[in-house]
Amino acid sequence: MNDEEPVLLHTEGRILHITLNRPRALNALTHTMVRGIDEALTLAADDDAVTAVVIAGAGERGLCAGGDIRSIYEDARAGRRASVDFWRDEYRLNARIARFPKPYVALMDGIVMGGGVGVSAHGDVRVVTERSRVAMPETGIGFVPDVGGTYLLAAAPGELGTHLALTGRAVGAADALLCGLADHFVPSDRLADLTTALAPSRTPAEVTATVRRYATDAPDGELAGHREWIDACYAADTVEEIIDRLVDSGVPAAKETAAGLLTASPTALKVTLAAVRRTKRLGSLEAALDQEFRVSCRAFAGHDLVEGVRARIIDKDRAPRWSPAEPADVSAADVARHFEPLGDQELGLATA
């Protein structure tokens, strides 16, 4: 094992450990890392000596902060298409994780955002800690939740998923459990003992039983106490009406949420709302990923993604100049265009 590699593999007992190894970049995913994880899963699926896979992040800050946004920005600015190739392989990996034939244990400690959600929350044994901050923050950079995020959020209770998709808000352990983004809470200081205890597991049942033995109740979250206004406001048909309801609710937290939405990309907000609502009717993760691929390709060719990354990541002036600048100026045709088929460039997971 070369400690300089961006994905580290090692075996403890009957468990294959995959470690994302770019701690200074918060383990942000590159195309090389996506391929490395996929290759590791191929080996693990065919190896009778491997009972389960555990994925974690190197360093103390988190599992993974998402995709390498700077690379996407530079790719779009230069008129290249490497990001589209990256998403194609990344979304295929997300689907593979969801269908992996052995227990896939994701240690979602610390920051888990965007692509980090994609390599963890589709697993069947998902562990959060008191340090977990889980989010799909794409609308703030002019993008739309991807990596199966619309599928996960569409399945959350009530309108919680719509709230998280539009705001990009990070949630802690209890709220991740409430929204179906995680399964178990394990205190961070017990993770090392948990991984050691997993080593001799010979069956999927033993893996699950071991995780449950280390799990406990999560500290109280926030979303359950906000369900009334979240469900009422986000049930509206349009972004404009959602914002109006938030402002008129009389709830300070709702008004603050409205103010935050008004700083996000209007196009991204409208496409995100449509994506989450459409996903509820699609019926499978694969179909959702196919839809997300169309949306991502269209967003990549648009204005707001490059501008959002410039304002948030590159220049850090936090003053994006969205185009259009107001939700009312984003037409239904503008939104629909993001969902149009890509012809022979389709991802095609649902029909594979």
Side-chain angles (χ1 to χ4, degrees):
M1 181 174 65
N2 182 352
D3 288 346
E4 298 300 316
E5 292 294 325
V7 175
L8 303 178
L9 305 178
H10 75 280
T11 302
E12 291 184 21
R14 302 179 67 86
I15 308 299
L16 174 65
H17 289 265
I18 301 174
T19 303
L20 307 183
N21 188 40
R22 297 182 69 213
R24 285 180 291 183
L26 263 171
N27 301 316
L29 289 175
T30 64
H31 205 160
T32 297
M33 294 169 74
V34 166
R35 291 184 178 124
I37 298 168
D38 188 71
E39 290 169 3
L41 293 183
T42 297
L43 294 173
D46 295 337
D47 189 344
D48 292 339
V50 172
T51 300
V53 168
V54 173
I55 190 165
E60 298 296 321
R61 298 168 64 195
L63 171 66
C64 174
D68 191 333
I69 298 298
R70 284 180 178 269
S71 293
I72 294 171
Y73 171 84
E74 292 164 1
D75 192 34
R77 292 256 300 174
R80 297 188 297 262
R81 299 276 293 173
S83 296
V84 172
D85 295 334
F86 166 70
W87 287 324
R88 188 181 296 277
D89 286 344
E90 183 184 25
Y91 299 173
R92 285 173 173 165
L93 174 63
N94 301 146
R96 181 172 195 181
I97 289 169
R99 310 301 180 210
F100 194 65
K102 299 178 180 181
Y104 183 97
V105 182
L107 303 183
M108 301 170 69
D109 186 33
I111 292 173
V112 185
M113 296 184 179
V117 173
V119 297
S120 60
H122 297 300
D124 48 0
V125 185
R126 304 163 300 173
V127 176
V128 285
T129 76
E130 77 284 355
R131 303 190 301 195
S132 296
R133 302 298 295 167
V134 184
M136 296 298 299
E138 286 78 10
T139 59
I141 59 166
F143 199 44
V144 177
D146 65 339
V147 299
T150 61
Y151 180 80
L152 294 164
L153 294 175
E159 295 293 336
L160 293 179
T162 310
H163 171 63
L164 297 183
L166 292 181
T167 63
R169 188 160 296 172
V171 297
D175 290 334
L177 293 165
L178 172 63
C179 292
L181 301 173
D183 305 299
H184 306 282
F185 173 80
V186 176
S188 59
D189 60 5
R190 302 194 73 192
L191 289 181
D193 291 340
L194 168 60
T195 56
T196 299
L198 285 170
S201 300
R202 291 185 171 273
T203 66
E206 288 182 21
V207 171
T208 302
T210 299
V211 174
R212 286 177 175 164
R213 193 164 70 245
Y214 281 83
T216 186
D217 293 334
D220 290 342
E222 300 176 3
L223 289 181
H226 295 307
R227 277 292 301 275
E228 184 174 357
W229 65 261
I230 287 174
D231 287 352
C233 295
Y234 287 94
D237 291 333
T238 67
V239 168
E240 294 94 323
E241 189 180 351
I242 288 171
I243 292 172
D244 287 344
R245 289 189 185 188
L246 291 168
V247 171
D248 295 340
S249 68
V251 179
K255 291 183 178 181
E256 291 173 11
T257 297
L261 289 177
L262 290 170
T263 69
S265 160
T267 299
L269 289 176
K270 286 202 164 182
V271 175
T272 294
L273 181 62
V276 172
R277 299 257 164 99
R278 285 169 175 245
T279 298
K280 291 182 179 182
R281 302 189 297 268
L282 290 177
S284 73
L285 171 62
E286 287 79 6
L289 287 164
D290 285 346
Q291 175 176 272
E292 289 176 355
F293 186 69
R294 296 180 199 116
V295 170
S296 296
C297 289
R298 295 281 161 43
F300 181 73
H303 168 274
D304 279 7
L305 175 57
V306 169
E307 174 60 12
V309 176
R310 180 207 63 76
R312 306 280 178 168
I313 308 297
I314 307 300
D315 296 341
K316 299 182 180 178
D317 59 22
R318 306 193 73 80
R321 296 179 289 275
W322 306 123
S323 179
E326 301 292 337
D329 296 328
V330 182
S331 71
D334 292 334
V335 174
R337 196 174 300 117
H338 286 75
F339 297 91
E340 292 175 356
L342 298 170
D344 60 4
Q345 296 302 305
E346 284 283 315
L347 184 60
L349 284 172
T351 56

